Amino acid sequence: MDLKGRDFLKLLDFTPDEIVYLIDLAAELKDKKKRGIPMDTLQGKNVALIFEKTSTRTRCAFEVAAHDLGMGTTYLDPSASQIGKKESIADTARVLSRMFEGIEYRGFEQEIVEELAEYSKVPVWNGLTNEFHPTQMLADLLTIREHFGHLKGIKLTYMGDARYNMGNSLMVACAKMGMHFTACTSEKYFPEQALVEQCREIAARTGGSITLTESVEEGTKGVDVIYTDVWVSMGEPEEIWEERIRDLSPYQVNRDVMKNAGNKAIFMHCLPAFHNLKTQIGAEVGERFALTELEVTDEVFESSQSLVFEEAENRMHTIKAVMLATVSTDGKARKKRKVQAKVDPELLEGKSLREVHYLPDNEVQWILSSEECDVDQTGEFVVMPIEDAKEKFPEIKDMLSADSDQRILYRKGRHSSKWYDFKGKA
Ligand code: CP
Ligand code: NVA
């Protein structure tokens, strides 16, 4: 498996085999670390760690993992960089690519990390966005596999705000791995319908399933994993606490929930967690609403069913696997699989497509095979491997001919999206 030069932005971009490869590699690196076997094969390389939101686990995991691999790290906190304030994402990406062999980014919208990756010449790793938290997923999957010995068929129920990074990511991770995902929460907090449908299509191929329910009794009955996250995420306004407590209190993970799941079930949480009043925010919120614990009771958090600290440790081993797999060992990031291309409409006007030079690097040059192509505007094109395209957009399967190339061109038009497949390289 070769993932050199690949970004790690969301699990949707990876095939089940690629995800398993990263989990296997993490398990191997964990074993080596425990046995004191050095793995500093990336000496002389450096990574940039951009954090526009705070972090304990993700930052420490990236730093320790990078050092274990022999790499240097530069940490940029929200006040220490020009990103977005004085310098655009595109410019930042092009600057950092000239100094580092990889860039971690934690921030707000997924679009930002996607843009950073588009302009970066080195792999970009998503350290959490509002929509996705993919490195957390690898740690969670490793933890579940270590405990149960396998992933396929495992039933995981997520309670809380299932529309945000953790709910979305767990739903995708379960779909990819053939697991059964349930979002057990008030309907208002169900994940976005489009993502649910996309995950259902993936799950249909992997043997997994996606269920959305408001019933705690049904949603947690006999499941293997009960998972929750904070009710108010980083970047959300403080005023929202009242509404969240009102809406999500019925979905608190407590003794009854764990009993309903059964004594073989495990409890997981990405952390940090509000399970007592020993934090500033926990104490403030607790006092305001006369509560002593929020999304999970202290009893469950501290119980023998809780694997939260194993999960936290696995952040480091899995992040190490992502960096080792994607940083190029020849000191030069290889061409990315996904190439964004702005196409000059004059090149395409009114007739069949001709030779098109794809930006940003002219490494990719294709002749397109489209017969009728009514390009009337500047289109934004994405080239992606055919397997990824089939997974992401199942509707294209029927239009692929036997001699379709291994890549496919997708136009994100302002009107309808249109597909073109490639035949042959220029
Ligand atoms: N789980 C997680 O991402 O933790 P941090 O916010 O501490 O990085
Ligand atoms: N949903 C949480 C996850 C923290 C790891 C947040 O975004 O703050």
Side-chain angles (χ1 to χ4, degrees), residues 53 106 128 133 164-166 229-230 233-234 270-272:
K53 290 176 179 171
R106 166 174 285 201
L128 176 144
H133 196 4
Y164 218 66
N165 42 29
M166 288 305 303
D229 179 21
V230 289
S233 287
M234 289 182 277
C270 53
L271 306 183

Side-chain angles (χ1 to χ4, degrees), residues 142-323:
L142 176 61
T143 310
I144 295 168
R145 199 178 74 172
E146 284 173 343
H147 185 80
F148 292 104
H150 64 103
L151 290 172
K152 204 169 168 58
I154 291 287
K155 295 181 194 144
L156 183 148
T157 292
Y158 178 82
M159 304 178 82
D161 184 357
R163 315 162 300 183
Y164 218 66
N165 42 29
M166 288 305 303
N168 289 343
S169 303
L170 285 163
M171 181 166 68
V172 173
C174 288
K176 291 271 179 182
M177 293 296 104
M179 294 162 64
H180 303 290
F181 174 83
T182 298
C184 178
T185 186
S186 155
E187 191 176 349
K188 185 168 150 192
Y189 297 90
F190 284 173
E192 217 179 83
Q193 194 53 30
L195 187 62
V196 171
E197 277 163 24
Q198 196 178 349
C199 288
R200 284 200 168 127
E201 281 160 12
I202 297 169
R205 291 194 292 276
T206 61
S209 64
I210 309 294
T211 305
L212 311 178
T213 180
E214 289 196 305
S215 161
V216 174
E217 162 66 25
E218 283 170 25
T220 62
K221 185 88 202 154
V223 302
D224 302 301
V225 184
I226 298 284
Y227 202 119
T228 193
D229 179 21
V230 289
W231 288 340
V232 176
S233 287
M234 289 182 277
E236 294 195 295
E238 214 176 290
E239 307 80 71
I240 207 93
W241 270 110
E242 189 175 348
E243 184 184 332
R244 292 289 164 81
I245 286 174
R246 194 181 56 235
D247 294 344
L248 297 176
S249 288
Y251 300 95
Q252 180 193 58
V253 179
N254 52 34
R255 184 197 301 184
D256 291 342
V257 165
M258 293 309 291
K259 210 169 149 205
N260 196 40
N263 57 14
K264 292 216 167 69
I266 59 169
F267 169 70
M268 296 180 74
H269 190 310
C270 53
L271 306 183
F274 293 121
H275 59 99
N276 59 27
L277 301 183
K278 292 179 186 164
T279 62
Q280 193 191 330
I281 295 176
E284 279 166 18
V285 173
E287 195 179 322
R288 239 170 94 200
F289 300 98
L291 296 168
T292 52
E293 46 214 359
L294 296 174
E295 73 272 10
V296 55
T297 60
D298 201 43
E299 184 186 15
V300 170
F301 187 89
E302 298 292 356
S303 72
S304 57
Q305 284 172 287
S306 170
L307 291 192
V308 295
F309 297 112
E310 284 79 358
E311 190 183 353
E313 178 190 331
N314 283 339
R315 297 298 309 285
M316 199 281 283
H317 306 299
T318 43
I319 281 172
K320 193 187 284 180
V322 170
M323 290 197 287

